[in-house]
Amino acid sequence: MAIDEKKCEGCAHKNTCQTAQDPMDVKLTCNLSKIKRKIGVLSGKGGVGKTTVATNLAAELAKRGFKVGLLDADLHGPNVAKMLGAEGQRLFADSESKTIKPFISPSLPNLKVVSMAFLLENPDQPVIWRGPLKHQAIKQFLAEIDWGELDFLIVDLPPGTGDEALSVAQLVKPMDGFVIVTTPQEVSLLDTRKSISFAKMMNVPVIGIVENMSGLICPHCGKEIDIFKKGGGENAAKELNVPFLGRIPIEPAVVEAGDKGTPIVISHPESKSTQSFKKITDEILEKLGK
């Protein structure tokens, strides 16, 4: 089947696109060609604050003037919409371009967001899908959304190394790397090692490890309490020979900001957590040579 060149209009890799046989593959290749950097945020287990890291990383990059896309690939537990104050929003199709428009954050107009939450009629509705359906949904999010020209695409992945992570690693090529989120305690670090092995098996670079919940900032005295220990993520990074990007403390303001739908890097720019996110963002930009 011949591919109409008009479908590749504006694509930086027109010749590559013309070799594709599936029209959705054409759209996928064209979309990805307009995105400079693609980063997946991954964790070995749930409850380590991966979505908090992904949303604040995307918000911090957008604050700095970069054009950013944030794809919530956690199909069963999509929380990005909640953390960005976008609950109840919907995706709309553009009849002229035959693409789907992402949600654009009012407070960060250069941040585009796509989540399964925007497609559910009821926020309590579960997504009961097997692997092939999940793969197709992620492919459609990547291919049929009008992402436009982006400096960064941040993909928030569900915990573990299952269908969604595998689909993203196979579809998003080239991928610049994974940012792996962990907490300091040993049980989380065991699963972090699996995430790093997964990245190596998929030939995706590991940009680095983020140690989240690294010490509690007391809201009364401001002192730090190591309730989950400290330094486990950094030690694992040294042991596994991958970069360590930094630590993020437990701070009540982070939870409050997420519940209210405003990332802490926006709502509390002087907080210790925001300073940590800034340093981690600097580290990522340095690792990517930006």
Side-chain angles (χ1 to χ4, degrees):
M1 177 180 64
I3 297 298
D4 187 346
E5 288 189 13
K6 291 181 180 178
K7 292 182 180 179
C8 296
E9 187 176 352
C11 174
H13 299 289
K14 182 182 289 188
N15 292 333
T16 302
C17 291
Q18 289 174 4
T19 64
Q21 296 299 307
D22 183 350
M24 192 177 292
D25 287 337
V26 174
K27 295 178 183 178
L28 176 66
T29 305
C30 292
N31 261 2
L32 293 179
S33 74
K34 300 173 189 176
I35 302 171
K36 295 177 183 176
R37 298 290 193 182
K38 301 106 174 167
I39 299 172
V41 180
L42 181 66
S43 68
K45 68 186 298 295
V48 300
K50 170 188 51 59
T51 300
T52 298
V53 172
T55 53
N56 279 280
L57 173 59
E60 177 61 27
L61 288 168
K63 267 179 60 179
R64 299 187 185 196
F66 292 109
K67 296 177 182 178
V68 184
L70 176 57
L71 171 58
D72 187 354
D74 192 341
L75 304 180
H76 297 287
N79 295 321
V80 164
K82 172 69 175 178
M83 292 189 176
L84 289 173
E87 287 182 297
Q89 297 294 328
R90 291 290 179 263
L91 301 177
F92 296 97
D94 186 319
S95 57
E96 292 186 7
S97 63
K98 296 182 180 179
T99 58
I100 301 170
K101 297 297 182 182
F103 168 77
I104 297 178
S105 171
S107 60
L108 292 167
N110 51 334
L111 175 60
K112 298 178 179 179
V113 186
V114 171
S115 173
M116 178 60 74
F118 299 153
L119 300 175
L120 300 177
E121 292 295 329
N122 183 339
D124 296 329
Q125 177 183 345
V127 176
I128 307 173
W129 287 354
R130 294 185 185 275
L133 276 177
K134 292 191 279 187
H135 179 85
Q136 187 66 15
I138 291 172
K139 188 173 184 179
Q140 286 184 274
F141 281 154
L142 292 166
E144 298 188 347
I145 297 294
D146 183 14
W147 292 106
E149 301 281 345
L150 294 179
D151 295 307
F152 290 93
L153 175 66
I154 308 297
V155 183
D156 179 33
L157 290 158
T161 55
D163 291 316
E164 294 89 337
L166 181 59
S167 292
V168 168
Q170 290 175 334
L171 292 169
V172 181
K173 293 183 178 180
M175 181 172 250
D176 290 272
F178 287 124
V179 171
I180 297 176
V181 183
T182 187
T183 50
Q185 66 266 46
E186 187 63 30
V187 67
S188 179
L189 296 171
L190 288 172
D191 295 318
T192 297
R193 292 179 174 89
K194 295 182 179 69
S195 297
I196 293 172
S197 297
F198 169 79
K200 291 178 179 178
M201 291 174 68
M202 299 306 299
N203 294 315
V204 176
V206 175
I207 298 173
I209 292 177
V210 172
E211 182 177 306
N212 195 26
M213 305 183 191
S214 183
L216 168 68
I217 303 297
C218 177
H220 303 291
C221 67
K223 291 184 179 179
E224 190 172 306
I225 307 166
D226 296 336
I227 58 174
F228 288 150
K229 299 195 301 186
K230 190 174 181 179
E234 185 173 12
N235 292 336
K238 290 177 181 177
E239 179 185 332
L240 298 168
N241 195 29
V242 297
F244 179 68
L245 299 175
R247 298 184 182 89
I248 303 166
I250 301 175
E251 197 169 8
V254 175
V255 180
E256 294 169 7
D259 286 346
K260 291 179 180 178
T262 306
I264 194 167
V265 297
I266 305 296
S267 63
H268 295 74
E270 302 304 322
S271 68
K272 291 186 178 181
S273 294
T274 295
Q275 301 312 308
S276 296
F277 277 117
K278 286 182 176 179
K279 291 178 182 178
I280 288 167
T281 303
D282 289 339
E283 287 289 328
I284 292 172
L285 292 174
E286 183 180 341
K287 295 289 185 295
L288 296 179
K290 189 74 175 176

